[in-house]
Amino acid sequence: MSSVPENTGIDTPVFVPTHPFVQTAGADAILRSCDGADFHVHKTILSLVSPFFETMFRLPQPQHTSVAPQTVDMEEDSRTLNSVLRFFYPGTQPIVATLDELEKIIERVVGKYDMECVVPLAKQYLEKYAMSHPLHVYGVAFAHGWEDVAKVAAKECLKLSLRVPDTEPPEGIANLTSTAYYNLLRYHFKCATAAKATAESLTWIQNRDAYCWFRCGVCPYAQLDGYSGRSWLAQFLIKMKDALAVKPALDIRNDPLFFEAIRTAVTCSGQCRVNALDNLSSFVTVWEGKIAEEIAKVEWKF
């Protein structure tokens, strides 16, 4: 009858280390994951990038008759430890599949192991997620004091309706401290004010004769910031002003209000029917540039 294997208290590793973390000449330390995987490493490399490991390897070690590598028990599991090591170890490439995984790596290499030399690379990887997960990226950047990345993410957050509660909270908001969220809301509000102002005053428009709503004399009339224009354009600007108050960096050309304005304009039997689509498209291009210009003037406080 076969005996039941003795429980060693160590889980079977779910990950098997590969090159360069296998036993090779020169590797003089083993990082053992919490699930029992051994990563063979060089003390010199770890000491160069991490004051944590430099201090650890300086501590006196028990005397052994053999020259076995020093073994260090790690809190990380094998997959996490592999990702952390590959983020800085020579001859490897970072393995980052998700933002959550990247955040976990950053917490360890920067926060726990104090590897300041990898901060530029960590920022570079984090910024890649700014467009798809701006709130989450902002929270991570704020937590580590990375103002440059936080500002990039904050600008992407201008596409979100942060100040108008939706059915579900925005993705990533759970990662923010109250201070981080307050600073972001303040910036969002100031940018919204700047964006709205471009719809309230049209003094920035040049070459007005290029736009059909200033030339057409057929469809209903409206006063546009002191100029004679068409009511469909006036209504479009009024509605867009409210939309920009919610999302200062709104994609105007793909917003339903843009297409609603076009549908109204083509009911005109004059110039608007023929030229509204092209004219409004070119106007929006200029307008979005103006909005970006005004937002760039907003003071950013981290």
Side-chain angles (χ1 to χ4, degrees):
M1 179 182 296
S2 61
S3 59
V4 178
E6 181 181 355
N7 185 357
T8 62
I10 299 178
D11 296 333
T12 301
V14 295
F15 180 89
V16 178
T18 57
H19 179 80
F21 307 121
V22 294
Q23 189 171 5
T24 56
D28 53 0
I30 295 173
L31 302 184
R32 179 165 292 160
S33 66
C34 65
D35 54 356
D38 286 348
F39 292 78
H40 294 257
V41 295
H42 296 76
K43 291 182 180 180
T44 301
I45 294 175
L46 267 64
S47 296
L48 282 173
V49 299
S50 169
F52 176 93
F53 284 108
E54 181 183 20
T55 301
M56 174 187 293
F57 292 139
R58 281 180 176 177
L59 295 175
Q61 301 300 315
Q63 296 297 321
H64 296 288
T65 55
S66 66
V67 289
Q70 178 182 350
T71 299
V72 179
D73 291 324
M74 307 294 289
E75 296 179 352
E76 290 81 12
D77 60 48
S78 52
R79 291 189 181 278
T80 301
L81 186 55
N82 180 67
S83 297
V84 168
L85 288 172
R86 288 184 180 276
F87 206 77
F88 68 88
Y89 212 85
T92 64
Q93 291 291 329
I95 301 175
V96 182
T98 66
L99 178 54
D100 287 335
E101 184 176 336
L102 176 61
E103 182 180 13
K104 186 184 295 185
I105 292 172
I106 290 175
E107 286 173 354
R108 283 161 174 77
V109 298
V110 178
K112 182 177 180 180
Y113 298 122
D114 196 21
M115 299 180 183
E116 288 297 320
C117 63
V118 305
V119 167
L121 180 62
K123 286 183 176 182
Q124 179 182 337
Y125 271 78
L126 183 60
E127 194 169 321
K128 291 179 180 179
Y129 289 95
M131 288 186 64
S132 57
H133 301 83
L135 269 176
H136 195 161
V137 170
Y138 177 83
V140 175
F142 192 93
H144 291 282
W146 297 343
E147 182 175 355
D148 50 349
V149 179
K151 186 174 183 179
V152 171
K155 287 185 176 181
E156 291 297 329
C157 287
L158 297 178
K159 300 174 183 177
L160 306 178
S161 55
L162 298 184
R163 298 185 297 110
V164 178
D166 292 324
T167 305
E168 297 293 335
E171 184 272 334
I173 196 172
N175 300 284
L176 301 182
T177 64
S178 57
T179 300
Y181 194 47
Y182 172 78
N183 289 352
L184 183 61
L185 286 179
R186 178 179 57 192
Y187 176 69
H188 196 277
F189 174 78
K190 289 183 177 180
C191 289
T193 301
K196 284 193 306 178
T198 64
E200 294 169 338
S201 174
L202 304 181
T203 56
W204 52 271
I205 299 179
Q206 300 178 356
N207 192 19
R208 293 172 180 268
D209 291 339
Y211 302 117
C212 59
W213 51 84
F214 289 121
R215 304 190 312 267
C216 182
V218 177
C219 57
Y221 159 88
Q223 193 75 8
L224 295 175
D225 192 28
Y227 292 85
S228 174
R230 302 300 104 195
S231 63
W232 65 266
L233 193 280
Q235 290 302 310
F236 173 63
L237 292 174
I238 291 172
K239 293 177 181 178
M240 283 305 310
K241 181 181 70 173
D242 294 337
L244 290 169
V246 178
K247 298 179 181 180
L250 185 67
D251 183 1
I252 300 175
R253 193 187 309 278
N254 291 308
D255 191 85
L257 292 175
F258 176 88
F259 300 103
E260 177 184 312
I262 296 299
R263 286 194 295 269
T264 304
V266 296
T267 61
C268 170
S269 60
Q271 293 191 39
C272 292
R273 181 181 184 87
V274 178
N275 299 309
L277 179 56
D278 288 342
N279 284 188
L280 193 59
S281 294
S282 60
F283 171 75
V284 165
T285 298
V286 177
W287 188 12
E288 288 181 333
K290 178 61 177 178
I291 291 172
E293 178 184 327
E294 294 303 312
I295 285 177
K297 298 176 183 177
V298 174
E299 182 182 11
W300 160 254
K301 288 187 178 181
F302 187 50

